[in-house]
Amino acid sequence: TRDRKGALNMITLTKLNGVPFVLNDDLIETIERTPDTTIHLTNGHLLIVRETLEEVVDEVVAFRKRLRAGLPGRVENGEGRS
């Protein structure tokens, strides 16, 4: 989705095969470690990613902080982390 300025409202993650993709974090229902990080979406789909459970949560938190601060754009892996 895009915000009113046209910026992507998504986080960037990586599939197990190394291909990056963007995900609307509003679709995340649950995240589990099985041992791969598996993201369950509200539409019933499952995604398995290279990032750890903690990294995915950090990406969502950083992205939402940026939204609250009014900063445009998409959060790339690691951006906005302290």
Side-chain angles (χ1 to χ4, degrees):
T1 61
R2 293 186 182 269
D3 67 14
R4 60 194 129 124
K5 296 179 184 176
L8 288 174
N9 288 333
M10 300 187 182
I11 59 172
T12 301
L13 298 171
T14 312
K15 294 179 182 182
L16 287 181
N17 64 4
V19 175
F21 68 99
V22 292
L23 174 65
N24 180 334
D25 70 311
D26 288 332
L27 295 177
I28 297 173
E29 187 171 275
T30 61
I31 307 168
E32 59 185 35
R33 194 176 308 130
T34 62
D36 295 321
T37 304
T38 304
I39 302 172
H40 299 259
L41 304 180
T42 58
N43 61 9
H45 291 121
L46 297 176
L47 299 171
I48 301 174
V49 298
R50 284 188 174 186
E51 289 79 9
T52 66
L53 183 148
E54 292 81 11
E55 289 170 330
V56 175
V57 170
D58 288 347
E59 293 295 331
V60 171
V61 169
F63 173 72
R64 291 189 179 214
K65 281 182 182 178
R66 286 179 56 129
L67 283 181
R68 282 194 301 275
L71 299 174
R74 163 176 94 219
V75 174
E76 298 292 338
N77 283 344
E79 185 179 324
R81 289 189 189 164
S82 46

